[in-house]
Amino acid sequence: MLPKPRADLIPNSLDYEMIPLVKATGFREYDARWLYGPEINLLGIQALGLGLGTYIQELGHRRIVVGHDYRSYSLSIKQALTLGLIGAGCEVLDIGMAVTPMAYFAQFDLDAPCVAMVTASHNENGWTGVKMGAQRPLTFGPDEIGRLKEITLGATWKERDGGKLTRVDGVAERYIADAAARAKLTRPLKVIAACGNGTAGAFAPEGLRRMGVAEVIEMDATLDYNFPKYNPNPEDSVMLHAMAKAVREQGADVALGFDGDGDRCGVVDDEGEEIFADKIGLMLARDLSELHKDATFVVDVKSTGLFATDEVLKKNGARTVYWKTGHSYIKRKTAELGALAGFEKSGHFFFNPPIGRGYDDGLVAAAAILSMLDRNPGKKLSDLKKALPVAYTSLTMSPHCADEEKYAVVDDIVAEYTAFRDAGGKILGRSIVDLITVNGVRVALEDGSWVLVRASSNKPELVVVVESQKSEDDMRALFHQEVKPRLTKRSQVGAYNQEI
């Protein structure tokens, strides 16, 4: 029996080799992420496996798919997790190195109700984590993570006999074939597959070729867990700018950027202009609502307000529901409402049948985007973008804020904006018409512009997005003259990862 996990262990000490280290802050809203070494050790990962195995047994399951992303330490993390799962009496189906949606696919392919994917997604080197689920295609939310945290930190796991490990080959081939079958292109397209040297480089280019892409130009598709150029994050301006440069140099029709674990897809159009994922979502919603009348779409609170006002969606009877940011939340809401698709501004796209299986998959999202182009043979991606109503949306900006403090800071911001609205306060001359507080606060202004502040679900950061219906200059003013000054006066808020 493992000892009870502690949070005060120091690396390079006897206790660190003998006792599980698990810091409570690693249990996020809908997955688990730690800095490997100072926040969790291998025994801590084994304890997590015991906790997870115990929990899924509580739910009446024991078969679980495991996979790992391409980082120098991910295989070791997965093996430690597997030891814990076996100790809890689970049947572990190891699919090897994988992108996260491949692990979700394997739940269906191998008829396994549960999944544990070892990945730090797009986080910097040093991070590790696990994305988990026990009700395909859904992943854990706060309730499930809370119970897992309780079992793991309290060492109330139950060891059982009968644990088993089976290595399963062939899942990668079946996953690529399944994703590729979701697009049958007749239009010759030149596509850049940008992988940021992350795990998707092993699978995404081949998937695009099988969809019928005439020319796939691989960009940083060689696996390198040092991420020599930038972290594979298609929401980050560095990766987007590199994709834009490649489009202009190669004369490509589109660049598709995949994040570190392959569940997100970022887009740069034929003119070398980045299209944020919420605008791509709106383009897809327009396209799909023509084929599926009266469809429901779910979008997160970071997404453009155009979903609520778009005339094409109204004409096709489409309904849009705004919901909490986070892949688990949007995935769950999309399933709950039976929506055709869910779109998250970070690039997580969820398609229910007949388009997908309900989970986020960058390659399936790519298939949907390319199919949209195929259905519009006389138009470039830039033409479809220009057909959208104009709104000026910022990139996602994240100032540092400690995990132990970020939620209290956001609660304080919500209270401040509520009082400001109730007092009749105006933002750059505009009245506040609504406060959406399902996830932080989204402050809607009378002209349709808005600002958003929320806590990051998986990093010690806040998240800031602003959108203007007026101009790019107004969008910048909403940040520099409104949101940033409110946050700067709070000592808990630090430097931003990027700013407009």
Side-chain angles (χ1 to χ4, degrees):
M1 179 74 75
L2 279 177
K4 184 176 180 179
R6 286 169 46 185
D8 60 344
L9 302 180
I10 300 171
N12 195 17
S13 67
L14 177 61
D15 282 347
Y16 191 87
E17 290 295 305
M18 304 291 288
I19 299 170
L21 167 68
V22 184
K23 293 205 171 179
T25 51
F27 293 93
R28 312 282 167 164
E29 289 183 37
Y30 44 78
D31 58 23
R33 296 191 198 189
W34 292 269
L35 281 168
Y36 176 46
E39 296 181 353
I40 197 165
N41 60 8
L42 287 176
L43 289 176
I45 295 290
Q46 186 177 344
L48 179 70
L50 277 165
L52 178 59
T54 298
Y55 180 44
I56 66 173
Q57 295 264 14
E58 284 183 3
L59 298 174
H61 306 305
R62 61 184 299 269
R63 280 171 64 85
I64 183 168
V65 171
V66 300
H68 70 281
D69 66 6
Y70 189 77
R71 291 181 184 250
S72 62
Y73 43 82
S74 288
L75 177 57
S76 298
I77 298 289
K78 183 183 71 176
Q79 289 173 331
L81 184 75
T82 298
L83 279 177
L85 289 166
I86 292 172
C90 293
E91 181 184 356
V92 179
L93 305 172
D94 185 354
I95 63 171
M97 191 195 76
V99 285
T100 294
M102 189 187 301
Y104 298 154
F105 166 79
Q107 289 179 268
F108 293 87
D109 184 55
L110 304 176
D111 192 23
C114 303
V115 65
M117 175 66 191
V118 171
T119 178
S121 187
H122 63 277
N123 285 23
E124 297 84 354
N125 260 335
W127 285 89
T128 191
V130 189
K131 292 181 178 178
M132 297 158 279
Q135 185 186 355
R136 62 190 180 198
L138 305 182
T139 41
F140 282 0
D143 291 344
E144 294 90 347
I145 291 291
R147 178 59 182 143
L148 174 62
K149 178 180 178 180
E150 178 183 43
I151 296 170
T152 304
L153 297 184
T156 56
W157 52 68
K158 294 180 181 177
E159 294 191 89
R160 290 181 171 89
D161 293 333
K164 178 183 178 183
L165 170 63
T166 302
R167 180 177 175 89
V168 182
D169 295 321
V171 174
E173 167 58 31
R174 293 193 294 275
Y175 161 75
I176 292 172
D178 180 82
R182 300 180 184 279
K184 298 186 184 301
L185 305 179
T186 59
R187 175 181 178 179
L189 293 171
K190 181 188 287 191
V191 177
I192 291 171
C195 302
N197 302 110
T199 318
F203 311 105
E206 177 62 18
L208 295 176
R209 290 188 185 95
R210 294 196 198 180
M211 291 176 196
V213 174
E215 184 177 354
V216 176
I217 301 170
E218 298 187 10
M219 177 180 168
D220 304 323
T222 301
L223 302 190
D224 187 340
Y225 46 59
N226 296 306
F227 304 139
K229 294 184 177 178
Y230 42 74
N231 273 16
N233 179 5
E235 199 180 15
D236 192 300
S237 60
V238 179
M239 184 171 183
L240 286 168
H241 291 165
M243 290 163 60
K245 181 173 181 285
V247 165
R248 290 190 290 267
E249 290 176 349
Q250 300 289 341
D253 294 292
V254 62
L256 301 172
F258 301 92
D259 77 330
D261 67 331
D263 57 7
R264 293 190 294 139
C265 182
V267 181
V268 170
D269 71 15
D270 51 282
E271 294 182 344
E273 295 294 325
E274 59 207 57
I275 310 178
F276 292 138
D278 55 343
K279 302 290 176 61
I280 285 288
L282 181 56
M283 292 158 64
L284 286 168
R286 281 182 153 201
D287 179 66
L288 293 171
S289 66
E290 294 282 358
L291 304 174
H292 306 271
K293 301 294 184 182
D294 303 321
T296 297
F297 298 100
V298 178
V299 299
D300 76 315
V301 294
K302 290 196 301 182
S303 294
T304 177
L306 294 174
F307 278 98
T309 59
D310 186 68
E311 293 301 326
V312 174
L313 295 186
K314 288 180 181 178
K315 174 178 69 72
N316 293 328
R319 178 174 75 110
T320 300
V321 176
Y322 284 86
W323 196 240
K324 298 178 183 179
T325 290
H327 66 83
S328 179
Y329 296 130
I330 302 298
K331 188 174 350 189
R332 192 172 293 262
K333 198 68 173 177
T334 302
E336 175 191 321
L337 297 178
L340 181 64
F343 306 112
E344 191 183 9
K345 191 173 187 294
S346 63
H348 290 275
F349 294 163
F350 311 89
F351 296 99
N352 275 330
I355 305 166
R357 288 193 176 87
Y359 53 77
D360 37 342
D361 185 335
L363 199 50
V364 170
I369 293 163
L370 295 175
S371 295
M372 176 176 64
L373 280 172
D374 204 59
R375 284 190 288 269
N376 292 272
K379 296 179 181 178
K380 299 177 181 178
L381 190 59
S382 57
D383 296 328
L384 298 177
K385 181 187 71 174
K386 290 170 185 174
L388 297 178
V390 177
Y392 303 88
T393 313
S394 74
L395 43 73
T396 300
M397 299 168 283
S398 297
H400 180 81
C401 191
D403 285 316
E404 298 86 351
E405 298 175 328
K406 64 187 181 184
Y407 293 105
V409 169
V410 169
D411 287 343
D412 190 42
I413 287 286
V414 172
E416 181 174 321
Y417 271 120
T418 302
F420 187 61
R421 177 201 59 185
D422 293 347
K426 293 190 174 183
I427 292 177
L428 301 186
R430 282 157 284 185
S431 298
I432 298 171
V433 296
D434 193 20
L435 295 179
I436 301 174
T437 57
V438 294
N439 190 204
V441 61
R442 176 165 163 152
V443 185
L445 307 182
E446 59 184 318
D447 69 339
S449 302
W450 52 268
V451 303
L452 170 78
V453 179
R454 56 177 289 272
S456 170
S457 301
N458 47 43
K459 292 182 75 176
E461 296 174 343
L462 303 182
V463 175
V464 176
V465 182
V466 300
E467 179 175 275
S468 170
Q469 297 293 323
K470 288 184 173 182
S471 67
E472 188 167 331
D473 286 343
D474 183 61
M475 178 259 285
R476 295 176 186 278
L478 285 169
F479 173 65
H480 288 286
Q481 297 177 34
E482 168 56 34
V483 182
K484 189 177 181 182
R486 288 188 188 272
L487 294 178
T488 298
K489 67 184 182 182
R490 290 165 167 83
S491 60
Q492 307 97 314
V493 179
Y496 287 73
N497 67 332
Q498 56 185 356
E499 294 186 25
I500 51 174

